[in-house]
Amino acid sequence: MLAGAIAGPSMLLTGPKTQHASLAIYIFMRAAVLAARCGIKSKRLGKICKPLTWKHGDTFLMCLSSSQILSAYILKQDSLPSSYKSFLNKHGGKDLVILQGIKDIASGMPFTNLLEVEKYYKSVGVDIKLDPNMKVPCSIVHGNQSCTGHVLSFLFQAYGRALPVYVPVYLIPALIVHRQGLLKRPYTILGKSLLGTARSSLFLSAYCASAWAWTCLLFRLLERCNIPMVAMGTFPTGLALLIEKKSRRIEISLYCLARAIESFFTCMSDAGLCPQASKLKRSDVLVFSVATSIIMHCYAQERDVFRSKYLNVLDWVFGIPPPYDSNELEKCQC
């Protein structure tokens, strides 16, 4: 544990002024999963950690993450890393002027760009006149379309945007990792890759489409729009994770949770609610050190809490030889 904590500041080698908050938080999430698994199998902490064994805990984490990430996407994009912000702007499928209009009405501020929104819709062939006294932003979000029609058309468009994301994710491993099996069982391996691509693309497209569906539904039901309602409306968006394969759900939810935590604390800091946190210039190093400390403890003392593929990678990094089969060892000795 001490060795892991000492190794943490190696992050400074990337540059004394280079922040790696996203990486540090993600590694900390991985460490928290390992710590939770240790608690679950512990006799003393087993009962306390029992809720962590909930079958759909990964989906619940995704819902929590979605509430923060998608609220930030609409209300405060500068709290998100630039690369992730670009990803959301692409797959969110909405122009920035539309997002600004939603932000104005949710924040209770006078509209600043209704004319720009109308010009945007006119540029795509939709002639619309927006009401400056509107209570819900549905006409800003989807113009003259109905909420249901918008969700369906958005889903098909989002699927087309999602496919290029997942094709390399599935096909490159098939060509590199499974290259030998590809010669023997090409149809089986390629079939699984194509199925995985189709399934993950459906997840991402359904996730983005449901974000607009849930918010529109909530706005229409309550006939108002404010910041808490944006957060509530984006919460059930995480249910789209159920489309994904079970083994991938925890990976996706932890990745999104790390982004959500970073965004949340950035928002809190900007609002002046975390003054002490803002004084820590390299909090990422501290978080990374705690994470590596937990990971190294588990690696040395609780190896069974790792998934085999991660354990194999760590063994390879630290130069630990693979375990010998006892039968093979006896043959060698003979």
Side-chain angles (χ1 to χ4, degrees):
M1 188 176 287
L2 179 61
I6 294 173
S10 61
M11 180 177 278
L12 292 170
L13 294 174
T14 62
K17 296 182 179 180
T18 306
Q19 292 277 348
H20 294 286
S22 297
L23 174 63
I25 295 172
Y26 176 71
I27 298 299
F28 182 78
M29 291 296 101
R30 303 296 323 186
V33 170
L34 296 176
R37 289 173 184 166
C38 291
I40 290 169
K41 71 173 192 172
S42 169
K43 292 182 179 179
R44 289 185 299 174
L45 302 175
K47 293 182 179 180
I48 299 174
C49 296
K50 191 174 182 180
L52 299 175
T53 61
W54 183 32
K55 182 180 178 181
H56 297 297
D58 46 15
T59 306
F60 177 71
L61 287 179
M62 189 65 176
C63 289
L64 281 177
S65 305
S66 299
S67 183
Q68 173 60 37
I69 290 171
L70 297 178
S71 296
Y73 162 66
I74 296 171
L75 303 170
K76 192 174 177 56
Q77 286 205 6
D78 55 356
S79 69
L80 299 166
S82 58
S83 59
Y84 198 56
K85 182 167 62 176
S86 299
F87 178 84
L88 289 175
N89 281 328
K90 178 181 179 180
H91 293 279
K94 299 300 176 185
D95 193 90
L96 291 177
V97 296
I98 293 177
L99 298 178
Q100 182 61 45
I102 303 171
K103 180 179 178 180
D104 286 343
I105 191 171
S107 303
M109 303 292 290
F111 286 110
T112 58
N113 70 336
L114 281 188
L115 289 176
E116 292 180 26
V117 175
E118 291 175 359
K119 288 179 181 178
Y120 166 77
Y121 276 113
K122 194 171 184 179
S123 69
V124 295
V126 178
D127 191 12
I128 186 173
K129 188 66 178 176
L130 297 172
D131 180 9
N133 297 315
M134 69 178 77
K135 293 183 179 180
V136 294
C138 290
S139 56
I140 296 178
V141 175
H142 46 76
N144 290 330
Q145 277 187 303
S146 65
C147 294
T148 305
H150 166 252
V151 171
L152 293 175
S153 62
F154 186 94
L155 180 62
F156 286 106
Q157 294 169 5
Y159 195 83
R161 290 190 291 267
L163 275 174
V165 174
Y166 287 104
V167 166
V169 170
Y170 284 93
L171 290 185
I172 290 178
L175 296 174
I176 297 176
V177 179
H178 304 291
R179 60 186 184 276
Q180 293 182 347
L182 196 59
L183 298 174
K184 299 177 181 177
R185 298 174 290 114
Y187 296 110
T188 302
I189 294 176
L190 288 177
K192 287 183 178 180
S193 299
L194 291 174
L195 180 61
T197 301
R199 186 176 189 173
S200 293
S201 299
L202 180 60
F203 150 68
L204 182 56
S205 55
Y207 179 81
C208 297
S210 65
W212 298 117
W214 286 112
T215 48
C216 274
L217 177 63
L218 191 63
F219 296 157
R220 289 288 188 185
L221 286 176
L222 301 180
E223 297 183 348
R224 63 175 64 91
C225 173
N226 50 44
I227 293 175
M229 285 182 62
V230 171
M232 289 189 293
T234 51
F235 179 85
T237 302
L239 294 174
L241 186 65
L242 292 170
I243 296 173
E244 267 288 8
K245 190 178 178 181
K246 179 62 178 176
S247 60
R248 282 178 52 81
R249 291 177 196 170
I250 188 64
E251 305 293 337
I252 295 171
S253 60
L254 287 178
Y255 175 81
C256 290
L257 183 61
R259 299 292 190 179
I261 290 173
E262 181 182 7
S263 172
F264 177 78
F265 279 103
T266 299
C267 292
M268 292 297 100
S269 180
D270 290 347
L273 299 177
C274 296
Q276 298 299 322
S278 60
K279 294 179 181 179
L280 292 172
K281 294 183 178 179
R282 294 310 303 265
S283 56
D284 57 331
V285 176
L286 177 62
V287 172
F288 187 69
S289 297
V290 173
T292 51
S293 177
I294 296 171
I295 290 171
M296 287 305 297
H297 166 74
C298 294
Y299 178 68
Q301 303 293 333
E302 308 283 351
R303 291 171 62 87
D304 57 322
V305 300
F306 286 89
R307 288 186 178 180
S308 59
K309 61 180 180 181
Y310 291 115
L311 191 61
N312 291 339
V313 169
L314 285 174
D315 284 342
W316 178 79
V317 168
F318 290 113
I320 306 298
Y324 288 102
D325 182 41
S326 58
N327 293 330
E328 291 293 329
L329 187 61
E330 288 178 3
K331 291 179 182 179
C332 293
Q333 289 174 344
C334 292

